[in-house]
Amino acid sequence: MAAAADSPEAKELSLVGKVELRIALADSDARLEAILKTYLSPLLLKLASEHGPVRNKVLSILQHVNTRIQPPSIKLPLVALLKQFKDPATAPLIRHFDLLYLQQGIARVPPSERLELLPTLIHGIHSDAAKSASNGAGVFNLLLKLTPHLRLPPRGSNEDGELRERLGLHQSPDDAAFVASYFGKVILLTVGRMATHEGDSAGAACPGLTPEDFSFLTLSGKKETWDPAHDSGSNLTETKLAVCRFLASGAFTDRERHLPALFASADPNSNISQLGDDMLKRTSPNISLEDAALVESLFAVYLGQAGARLQAARPPLQAKIAGLLSRSAIATTFTDSIIQMVEEGIIVPSSPDDHGTASKLPSGREASKLRGAIFSFVNWVARMASTSDLRRIAPRLVYGLRDYIESQGWPTMNTQGDYSPESALRGYAYEIIGLLAKASADELLSDPNIDLVRWLFTSLSADTSAANISVSIGEALGTVLQALSNMSDAEVQTSLRSLLLHHMSLEIGEESPAGHPSQVQRSTRFVAVRFATRCLPYHDVVARWICLLAVGGRANERNEVVEEGRKGLNPYWYRMLNPPKDGLSSQPMGATDPRYRFPDFSELVHYCFSGSHDTAATRENLTSLGQFDGKIGVFEAAVAYCRRALLAQALRTTEVAIDVDVHWEGKLDAAVSSDEAARAGLTRYLASFRSSSEGEGSDALSLLLQASLDGLTWNEGDGLGQCGEYLVELCSLSDNATLGGLAPQVRRLHNPILSNKVQVRTDAAHLFGILGSHEKSDRNDIGSLGESFMKKAKSWRTAIGTDVNRVHGSILALSFYLSRRGARQTWLPGFDPEAYVYIHLVRQMVTDATDTLLQEAAISAIEQLSLFGIIGPSLILTEDTAKSLADSLLSKAKAGNEKSIVALGRFAMNCSEDDPLLGQLLTDLCQLHELRQAEVQFTVGEALSCAALGWDSKSLVAHLDVDVARPKSAARSGTLSEVLDKVLEDAKQTKPGLRRACCIWLLCLIQYGGHLPDVQKRLRVCQAAFKAFLSDRDELVQESASRGLTLIYEKGDRDLKDDLVRDLVASFTGTSANLSGNVDEDTELFAPGALPTGDGSVSTYKDIMSLASEVGDPSLVYRFMSMASSNAIWSSRAAFGRFGLGNILSESSVDGYLAQNPKLYPKLYRYRFDPNTKVQKSMNDIWTALVKDSAATIDEHFDEIMDDLLQSIVGREWRVRQASCAAIADLVQGRRVEKYEKYLGQIWTMAFKVLDDIKESVRAAAMSLCRVLTGMLVRSVEAGTSSTKSNAMLDNVMPFLMSPSGLEASAQEVQVFALDTILRLAKTGNKSLGPFVPSLVERLLGLLSTLEPEAVNYLHLNASKYNLTEDKIDAARLKSVRSSPVMDAVERCLDILDDDTMRQLVPRLENAIKQAVGMPSKVGCSRILVSLSTRHNLTFRPYAGTFLKTMEKAVRDRNDTVSSSYAVAAGYLARLVPDTQVLEMCEFSKRLYFHGDDERQRLTAGEIVYAMCKHATDRFSSLAAEFLPFAFVAKHDSQEHVREPFEKTWEESAGGNRTVLLYLAEIVSLALQHLDSASWVLKHAAALSIADAANAGGSLLSEQQQQTLWPALERALKGKSWDGKERVLSALVKFSRHCAKLQQSQPAVTEQIRKLVLHESRRKNAAYRQHALVSLGEFVDGYEAEDLSLVVLDLVGEVVEEQSGEGGDDMEVDAGAGSAPTDTSRPNTVAHAVAAGFRAVDPRRLPDQAVAGRVGRLLDVAEKARAMKSGGVHAAICRGVTTLAGRLRAADASRLVSLTDGPAGDDTMMRLILLVSPLGDGGTAERAKRAEAADELAQLSPVIGLAQGSAAPARLRAALVAARGAERDRSVQAILDRALGR
């Protein structure tokens, strides 16, 4: 036995037994608690005993313990149990019981003790859950129960930063991550889907959670876990809020809290979502969305995971996640997830079973938001995903989105409407389809049938689901267009041609293609043209045809379609729209890039005019002009384009290269008209078509010529556009064989020659000459036409109206015909004699014709005939007739007729060199220099070249328009030399007109005859002449000289070219002034006025010498001459124009002088920005010509340019400084910072120096430079750059902006710049601005007043003059401050605040508040305080108390608006301060109200109280006992605007009369303190508040409250009467009715009330007395303590006597101003007095014998009052009679003995009847009262027992009958009928 007792099992059982005994012997809960504290944990350890009896014993003890610890007062040893639970060595069974007791005991201890367990509870929680899910769930549930009790430190405080370490989470990141993760799952948890059976949670889950998570959070599916009604249950919403607050603290890192914050932001509870949004904003900047693990987890939450049984999130959270994914590039690599997202969220399956997603599709508003987010994400994917990823997802997504659109109805949506959410999403779908198609073009657009493109085109034409749906479809097509433009698949292009041609022919209202039963609702022509110009090569004939349809296909075509068509026809714009890979540089027409090649001429012409192309079946078959009916514009455009294509194709075979640039058409036309080489090449090319006669070339040319002729003869000769001009041009370039097919149709020209259009007549006449003179022309037709034209020409003297046009055409036709026939040397038999007649006729017309048109025709005829040598001094004309004709032409030439000048030149061609007429003609032409029109001088120059050179003049290149050898003109040997010498000599003259003419003539002679030896040997002389012309002040002379130098340069040898360049550069560098010519004392160096000197102007060399002598500085002579030298060249815009010196320098830069002098570039770069605009243009022209690749040149010489500019920016000359500023600004823009980083410091320094320049324009340039620099800084900050570079830039610019040179600068422009820059920087919201925020906020607040216009202050001071009030002006100023960009900038600055910057901001803001001067600044300060209190309350809370104290002084501002603003700020600040400070502000408000000097201070107090009530409601409610009594008293202020805020406060905070009763003692106490105030306003407010409190209490007043109120009411009534005192008296009367208990306990109260009422009724104040009598009546009516009728009747009698008399003492001493009787006060007083008298006499309370006397006395008073004849008095008498009669009837008969005994009754009755008579007087209301009184008297008659034979009843009845007969009102009739007994 002993051995058994010593066994381990026995020992353990013994120990356990002792514990059991102790527990059993515990006779109180306290002792049991103490025992458990010691033994419970050790006892639980025995559950791990290896002996079964021991374990069983422990279990039995625990059962007993469980029974004993049911009372909640018993606390369990939680610390020991938790420590034991956390011990890794603890057995699972022990841990189970530990957890059970922890769960049971944790609710029994105070929150402070619970929170002590938190660090231990969190430590190891991750491993707890890993070991046992149930235990982990239990521990986590305990953690959730503790979370709501956490008192978290302010965010950002030191305590907050130490919280993670205090909780031990810094040592166990796994635990922190686990807690944060499951906190996020708590936020996702919803308990509406709990398992049906207890514990059966295997299949239960909720969105975003797995079943395991759901079981974990619900403790294996226990419903009571989240049932607040259950003892152990928790409130899920409160727990989520607590969890969010905990997550937002410093206990967790941004990485840990990011996903929970995201979950919270999408919670349907707004309180939770706000916390989530706040957390998300703070964490997002520190979270990388390029983390693959994070993105994977986001996709998992969004989509769910089937394998892990994770449910997909709710739509709001999905939308949030989609938004985050739309900012992650790595998210685009999750292709499978993207496809699943789209399929589940957007694509509608065809049946519920498809893909199993039918049930997942959301619906309603959330669905629309989610789909919008998905679309945004897919948009992001389409833009950011790699090509390989897009190829995987794009096809499925595109087909899915197409299904989505078609499921809504396509092309017409089933439900239309602009406001339908699906309409917007439909448009988004279209846009994304385009993006995806572009991203995966190889997969989606390579289909030969281009199905997707056809589908989009059909959608554009027929989808009208929303007004702006076309924008989305158009954007999609635009995106597809970009992809197609890079594809060259032949099959795709073939299908595209067919599609585009179809849509070009569609009309609105037509049916869509088969398979889509809908009508075309929208034109697709613009998009079709865009596709043609972008997706098909320029040489594609169909594409060009589409462009032609766009240009001329419709008369009312939209401008955008026409413009797009023109771009498609223009090779330059086509190149711009489809740039080559090497950039946008222009290329010659002969460039070999096949894409930009012109269409094949033959193919193009046949397609346009014969429809022979095999693709033409897809369009309208337009085979002739007639078939263009309705689309005639296409014909004209087609002719013009085919002509351009022919010329371009022809020029490719020549050496003439024309760059395809913006001016290419002009260059092409110029080359065809004036370039000899080009024309020769074109002629050869056109002739080459004959060699291809078996092919299409010859037919194509003939077809174009025929089409042009059709256009000229269109509409009976009206002509079509420029067809005639094109035909003349082509015929002039064609040989005889080519024109052989066209010449026989010469008769068709008859109508056009006689047309009413000048150009048509001219073109037709010209063609008549070319074709009529052709050997293949019909001679009979020519003869008949010639005779017809001759006949019309002969009628020139009598022609009027349209006949003049016919004569004009006939004259021209004959002149062209005769001249070309002469050139061909073919003569028509039978017509030759008429030729002489015609020439004679023309000569007469030149002399005698008065009609301008006929004169021009005759002169043109002379010109044409002279050109080909038909007429001349020895040809047909005699010497005299020739001289006469020349004189006639000269007279017209002197009038400026250019045709006459040309005719003179042509006429002189036929004069022999020894003919005196030639010399005379040359002299006459030179005399034309007097003509001022510059254009005329160019014509004179051309005429001189013709006269001197004959057919050797290049000006006649285009005039040889028939296929013959060049004609021979009169021989010349020395004429040209003479003319040149004459012009060069005259060029030296000083006469401006002659100099200009000579310059132009010299230019023309070199241009048209520079190939001849006489000109070649004079080139150097001509160069010197042109150099001299460069200094001329006439820009035209400069332009001409520049062009002349270019021509000389082109025609000179290498030495001449280098000499010219050397002179130019020497002038530039200032080392020589060769180009300026010689300077003498008469040379004008400056324009008059260019250099003002006070008295006059410096213009000549002599003036300069005089000026130098006057000022004593001879060096001025050289300075001004040097300046003149520079200005003479470099300020001349023309000198460096397109055809000027720039070309010389450009060529030289390659192989000449400048190639050895690159130092020119820095200075030339600066000169491009010279202040002189002419210099700018000149230098830019040089730069453009000299530098072919500007960017490369600048990069190469960047350092040299920058060094030169930084040196020049502080140079002596202001022009150099200004130019340097502009040049630096241009140089740094658009370049990487690395390029100029090393110069940044210098640039800023120099720019700041020049900002203070003495020259205003230099300061402006420096300001512009600073803007550029700050613009770059702003962009850098906006991009989020936080590098050292941007910080360094900020460090440089911010101090300057806030310095006296910036925001405080005296110059307004500088201020505006500085402010604008600061606003832009602040708008970025970048944290790099943080260090500058404190000073920035202070400065900006001060600027609010500085920037306010001065006119506002003037208006404020003189408001009355402009019919304004200061309040209105201040309201406008306040509105301006609120909308000010400065305030917006301040708000943005506040968003950057953190704890450190807030600490620095506080003293700055305090200083700003104290020193603010203007109203805008003060209001701005108040708004900043509001913003800090609301949007930044966590960081601002520690400092709120300081600013609330500051508000005590700020609210005293003299400006009402400022005071109100600070009061509002105080209300917001009250949110953040302790209760003590709120109470201090309340006391301050009371002092302000009760002890303030004026009503403004009382109003301020009200505004403060109301602001606290409105903006700090919680704080106000908690301290209502202090605020509400004050508000109640103050809301009775006599000033309406003062009491208004107090009334609002009371209305919004109090619940009604019950609130008055609640704070009655405080209200009365406060009022009593100020009843004796020296201020009448306060005294009256206190009295009225007491009265209002009494009225509010009414019958609800307790006896104690009555005792409180009575003394206050008594004191309130004492003293003189005042306006409103009647309310106090009325309140006293009402109080007397409800204070029965008080009167019983204190009988003296009753007597005192009676005395007060009677005393107040005797006051003489007229305004007050009438109200006092009303209260008297009410009082005596309810007063039962004694009969007051006698006292009242005496008082009433006195009143009536006084008021009805002539005078009397109307006022007593206390009657203030305005209390004298008014027109209504006297009758009102009498009426109220009478009413009081009637109410005082109650027979029921009078002694029996006193009734008759009192009634008689009453009637005496009433009769006296009735004499006043006042309606109000009579009404009061009638009411009184009614009342008295009713009381008499109700009284006992015994009481009426004195009234019924004897004649007293008859007398009383009669007097009563007389009082209410006559019954018919007055209005309806008065008659009704009289009738009612009569009715009562009728009922009273039997009661008072009238004597036998009394006349009273009869009189009453007679009165009633009379009144009834006269009464028309039915209501009154009813009363009278009742009185008559009817």
Side-chain angles (χ1 to χ4, degrees), residues 65-116:
V65 169
N66 292 341
T67 304
R68 293 285 304 275
I69 64 174
Q70 291 299 322
S73 60
I74 300 177
K75 298 180 181 179
L76 300 179
L78 299 180
V79 176
L81 290 171
L82 182 58
K83 181 178 180 182
Q84 184 170 280
F85 176 84
K86 290 291 183 178
D87 188 349
T90 304
L93 182 60
I94 299 175
R95 289 165 62 87
H96 173 72
F97 277 95
D98 285 335
L99 185 57
L100 287 177
Y101 287 117
L102 282 169
Q103 292 172 333
Q104 189 172 2
I106 199 164
R108 301 183 179 188
V109 298
S112 58
E113 294 184 20
R114 299 182 205 175
L115 293 176
E116 293 175 358

Side-chain angles (χ1 to χ4, degrees), residues 23 72 484 513 600 620 869 941 963 1094 1118 1351 1393 1575 1744 1792:
I23 292 173
L484 277 179
D600 181 76
E620 300 173 5
D963 185 15
Y1118 304 101
L1393 288 173
S1575 170
D1744 296 346
L1792 303 179

Side-chain angles (χ1 to χ4, degrees), residues 562-815:
V562 175
E563 188 63 29
E564 193 68 25
R566 287 174 178 165
K567 289 180 180 178
L569 295 175
N570 188 311
Y572 170 76
W573 283 109
Y574 181 88
R575 190 186 301 271
M576 294 292 290
L577 295 173
N578 304 276
K581 294 181 180 179
D582 59 350
L584 291 174
S585 59
S586 62
Q587 296 182 3
M589 282 190 205
T592 58
D593 191 334
R595 188 176 187 190
Y596 305 122
R597 179 170 50 84
F598 265 83
D600 181 76
F601 171 69
S602 298
E603 182 183 359
L604 178 66
V605 171
H606 282 90
Y607 188 91
C608 291
F609 299 110
S610 69
S612 62
H613 197 276
D614 53 3
T615 62
T618 60
R619 64 171 177 83
E620 300 173 5
N621 190 22
L622 307 176
T623 58
S624 67
L625 180 56
Q627 291 171 324
F628 279 85
D629 187 28
K631 296 183 179 178
I632 200 65
V634 178
F635 184 88
E636 177 189 351
V639 170
Y641 184 71
C642 289
R643 172 251 181 189
R644 290 200 297 271
L646 173 62
L647 297 179
Q649 187 169 319
L651 286 176
R652 284 204 300 268
T653 64
T654 69
E655 296 180 356
V656 179
I658 298 180
D659 290 341
V660 179
D661 57 16
V662 68
H663 302 291
W664 83 274
E665 286 189 42
K667 292 179 180 179
L668 179 64
D669 293 338
V672 173
S673 63
S674 60
D675 192 303
E676 189 174 11
R679 289 184 65 84
L682 290 171
T683 300
R684 289 193 301 271
Y685 183 79
L686 295 181
S688 68
F689 277 111
R690 285 183 284 113
S691 63
S692 60
S693 58
E694 296 180 357
E696 293 185 350
S698 180
D699 292 341
L701 180 57
S702 299
L703 194 56
L704 177 58
L705 292 173
Q706 187 63 50
S708 301
L709 181 58
D710 291 342
L712 176 62
T713 59
W714 175 75
N715 195 20
E716 299 297 327
D718 279 350
L720 188 62
Q722 294 178 283
C723 289
E725 295 180 46
Y726 299 150
L727 183 57
V728 171
E729 179 184 74
L730 294 175
C731 288
S732 67
L733 295 171
S734 301
D735 58 10
N736 290 329
T738 303
L739 299 179
L742 204 62
Q745 304 181 53
V746 69
R747 176 165 285 279
R748 296 181 61 187
L749 297 174
H750 178 269
N751 289 338
I753 289 174
L754 304 180
S755 171
N756 288 323
K757 296 181 179 178
V758 175
Q759 189 61 47
V760 172
R761 293 197 303 271
T762 304
D763 294 337
H766 199 157
L767 281 170
F768 182 72
I770 296 174
L771 299 179
S773 62
H774 195 279
E775 61 182 4
K776 294 290 184 70
S777 61
D778 190 318
R779 298 307 178 187
N780 294 326
D781 290 342
I782 297 299
S784 62
L785 288 173
E787 291 175 1
S788 174
F789 295 151
M790 192 64 192
K791 182 179 179 181
K792 290 182 173 60
K794 289 179 180 179
S795 64
W796 66 274
R797 294 184 184 277
T798 59
I800 59 174
T802 57
D803 290 339
V804 174
N805 295 333
R806 294 187 178 95
V807 173
H808 177 269
S810 300
I811 294 293
L812 290 178
L814 291 172
S815 67

Side-chain angles (χ1 to χ4, degrees), residues 362-384:
S363 60
R365 186 176 180 183
E366 287 186 350
S368 298
K369 290 184 177 180
L370 176 58
R371 288 193 179 109
I374 295 174
F375 280 133
S376 297
F377 176 57
V378 177
N379 190 334
W380 169 263
V381 172
R383 298 178 187 275
M384 302 298 295

Side-chain angles (χ1 to χ4, degrees), residues 1729-1792:
V1730 170
F1734 276 103
R1735 298 181 74 170
V1737 176
D1738 188 354
R1740 297 170 296 179
R1741 295 201 294 264
L1742 291 174
D1744 296 346
Q1745 300 301 320
V1747 173
R1750 300 294 167 77
V1751 170
R1753 177 74 175 115
L1754 174 61
L1755 294 181
D1756 291 340
V1757 174
E1759 289 170 351
K1760 181 68 173 178
R1762 185 173 178 272
M1764 290 190 69
K1765 297 181 180 180
S1766 168
V1769 174
H1770 291 179
I1773 292 173
C1774 290
R1775 287 193 296 269
V1777 170
T1778 303
T1779 303
L1780 178 62
R1783 289 179 175 178
L1784 289 172
R1785 287 195 298 109
D1788 294 338
S1790 60
R1791 291 185 177 275
L1792 303 179

Side-chain angles (χ1 to χ4, degrees), residues 829-1071:
F831 182 70
D832 291 343
E834 291 293 330
Y836 295 95
V837 176
Y838 169 75
I839 294 172
H840 178 70
L841 181 146
V842 168
R843 187 175 59 80
Q844 286 185 322
M845 289 179 64
V846 171
T847 306
D848 301 337
T850 57
D851 188 275
T852 304
L853 192 61
L854 295 181
Q855 278 189 6
E856 290 182 357
I859 294 171
S860 297
I862 296 297
E863 174 194 342
Q864 294 299 321
L865 294 172
S866 300
L867 182 62
F868 289 94
I870 303 301
I871 62 173
S874 58
L875 299 173
I876 301 177
L877 300 177
T878 64
E879 182 178 347
D880 292 336
T881 55
K883 180 74 168 60
S884 174
L885 178 59
D887 291 340
S888 298
L889 293 174
L890 180 60
S891 64
K892 293 177 174 54
K894 290 181 177 180
N897 189 312
E898 294 187 49
K899 288 185 178 295
S900 299
I901 298 173
V902 173
L904 279 173
R906 304 286 169 83
F907 187 71
M909 291 171 60
N910 298 315
C911 296
S912 61
E913 199 166 30
D914 57 355
D915 189 342
L917 183 59
L918 176 60
Q920 182 61 42
L921 288 173
L922 291 174
T923 302
D924 291 340
L925 287 173
C926 290
Q927 291 299 321
L928 294 177
H929 71 82
E930 296 177 355
L931 295 175
R932 294 188 177 184
Q933 296 87 344
E935 296 80 3
V936 174
Q937 298 307 326
F938 284 97
T939 306
V940 174
E942 181 183 346
L944 285 172
S945 71
C946 291
L949 303 176
W951 275 99
D952 288 334
S953 174
K954 298 292 185 181
S955 65
L956 300 178
V957 168
H959 292 274
L960 185 57
D961 49 18
V962 289
D963 185 15
V964 296
R966 190 173 66 175
K968 298 291 184 180
S969 55
R972 299 282 191 268
S973 60
T975 304
L976 178 58
S977 298
E978 293 177 3
V979 171
L980 278 173
D981 292 341
K982 169 68 173 171
V983 171
L984 289 171
E985 184 64 27
D986 288 344
K988 299 176 182 179
Q989 302 299 319
T990 59
K991 192 174 182 179
L994 181 58
R995 282 175 56 82
R996 179 173 62 177
C998 289
C999 180
I1000 294 173
W1001 297 342
L1002 186 59
L1003 173 65
C1004 292
L1005 290 172
I1006 295 175
Q1007 185 171 3
Y1008 299 136
H1011 57 291
L1012 299 176
D1014 288 341
V1015 177
Q1016 286 286 321
K1017 63 185 180 183
R1018 289 176 173 80
L1019 283 180
R1020 289 186 178 272
V1021 180
C1022 293
Q1023 175 181 338
F1026 281 131
K1027 288 178 183 179
F1029 284 132
L1030 284 176
S1031 63
D1032 198 281
R1033 287 175 295 169
D1034 190 332
E1035 289 193 6
L1036 179 60
V1037 175
Q1038 296 174 20
E1039 185 80 40
S1040 302
S1042 174
R1043 174 61 179 162
L1045 287 172
T1046 304
L1047 291 174
I1048 292 173
Y1049 185 86
E1050 292 172 353
K1051 300 180 186 300
D1053 55 16
R1054 181 75 267 166
D1055 292 337
L1056 181 63
K1057 291 180 179 180
D1058 282 344
D1059 286 345
L1060 180 58
V1061 173
R1062 190 174 293 106
D1063 283 344
L1064 289 173
V1065 175
S1067 295
F1068 180 81
T1069 58
T1071 59

